[in-house]
Amino acid sequence: MIRSVHRRLATGTAIGIAGLLAAAVPTAAATAGTTNGAGSTASVAAVAAPPDISVTNVKAHLTDLQSIATANGGNRAHGRSGYKASIDFVKAKLDAAGFTTTLQQFTYFGSTGYNLIADWPGGDSNQVLMAGSHLDSVSSGPGMNDNGSGSAAILETALAVSRAQFTPEKHLRFAWWGAEELGLVGSKYYVNSLSSTDRSKVKGYLNFDMIGSPNPGYFVYDDDPTIEQTFKTYFAGIGVPTEIETEGDGRSDHASFKNVGIPVGGLFTGASNTKSSAQATKWGGTAGQAFDRCYHSSCDTTSNISDTALDRNSDAIAYAIWNLSAGTTVPPGGDVYENTTDVTIPDYGSAVTSSVAVSGRTGNAPSTLQVGVNIKHTWRGDLVIDLVAPDGSTYRLKNSSGSDSADDVVATYTVNASSEAANGTWQLKVQDVARYDTGYIDSWKLTF
Ligand code: DTR
Ligand code: ZN
Ligand code: ZN
């Protein structure tokens, strides 16, 4: 049964954090990408091409932070001169790049701590996307991987935003936290300092703590599904498998935001846990050895970095910021076409479809067509999901992923459907490409 829901009565309604894919390429042709168990591959494209983040530039920031540590007793810890010098270094670069910076002071264990908040002017102040890293090290070393890597990567991404004069719909805010090593002190102080109104404006927080480990794994936080899928889509696009981050629930600054209900996500390359044989086969590196043997040690220097991991994660950060800061506000009068009929998805079987009829519109669909999907299904990694336009063009929304064991797909995807006539029958096409898990399409909708 095809149902269409009439013109949305409310004026523009901000949907939570944007769905991941923006402009899926309208082709069934397989191109470079990830291959799942069923051998299907897919291609995806970002909503607006994020810039390549130069790992040379990121490493130059790390070299500067290393020099700061060397000149300040060998560390950049809370309450030490090396931390304040680090904050001043990052702030100066952001001020020069046109950011509005704020140094937020707090006291912990009798020492003054600092958070650096950098707002990129513009965007909807009621929809803030944040990216953050802790800038402090432990007192036993310079903290290049932990967490110069995250700090330098988001610094370079912020500078890339400035160079591009990027103008996303959401407002971008970057943050460098103090005293994370003492218990997420700086980020907790920041979140607690926000009014409930200002907290509600933060639509997502992306955390980057240890993203250059010398024996790296590629871990994606398993928190907000849209943010998680955004990172997974990036890594699938470069053919790098990922795993769900399991070492740190609550062990970094994203916990401060998650604890007050803000959607969070992030990336991690591993700390003191040991890389397994299966992981070494998947990612390279050394099985039976810690992801970072210098975790919290004096040897966490600039030579304790995997350039490949740092490069990949820096580019993933830019991909996520460019994609998740795209518009998700339904324009005033946005029209919703929805089908709420349940459709069973056969286990390891042929694809099923659910349709909506669009009529009475003029011209083509928008470049930011919102596709809201609600699928109940155990082990959602079994599922491949496509949008099929009235003329049969296929837009990949979600690839299968053998490691994604979480349940259900509840997400909003943004598709560039501007080459498609708006009127006609649109279909959601879903296939279960692996055995033993079952489910159904609960509902889906198009918002023009
Ligand atoms: N708490 C971080 C290191 C850390 C350990 N597990 C995770 C998981 C996710 C992010 C970070 C971490 C620190 O020592 O700074
Ligand atoms: Zn640490
Ligand atoms: Zn850390």
Side-chain angles (χ1 to χ4, degrees), residues 67 111 219 245 274 443:
S67 300
S111 297
F219 298 99
E245 194 287 304
T274 301
S443 67

Side-chain angles (χ1 to χ4, degrees), residues 165-188:
Q165 286 297 293
F166 185 39
T167 55
E169 174 144 350
K170 290 193 179 70
H171 176 78
L172 295 181
R173 180 174 298 153
F174 295 82
W176 288 262
W177 306 119
E180 184 272 351
E181 298 289 6
L182 303 178
L184 320 185
V185 176
S187 58
K188 281 178 185 170

Side-chain angles (χ1 to χ4, degrees), residues 146 180-181 295-296:
D146 182 21
E180 184 272 351
E181 298 289 6
Y295 175 57
H296 285 186

Side-chain angles (χ1 to χ4, degrees), residues 232-258:
K232 284 181 166 181
T233 298
Y234 175 77
F235 280 101
I238 61 170
V240 173
T242 56
E243 290 186 6
I244 295 303
E245 194 287 304
T246 56
E247 192 179 339
D249 244 6
R251 286 186 59 182
S252 192
D253 294 302
H254 59 300
S256 303
F257 291 80
K258 186 175 181 179

Side-chain angles (χ1 to χ4, degrees), residues 398-429:
K398 175 192 173 296
N399 295 316
S400 61
S401 163
S403 61
D404 186 0
S405 61
D407 296 340
D408 306 338
V409 178
V410 180
T412 300
Y413 303 92
T414 303
V415 174
N416 180 355
S418 56
S419 62
E420 305 295 343
N423 292 330
T425 298
W426 295 75
Q427 293 183 310
L428 188 76
K429 183 174 147 191

Side-chain angles (χ1 to χ4, degrees), residues 29-46:
T31 58
T34 186
T35 298
N36 61 46
S40 65
T41 58
S43 64
V44 288

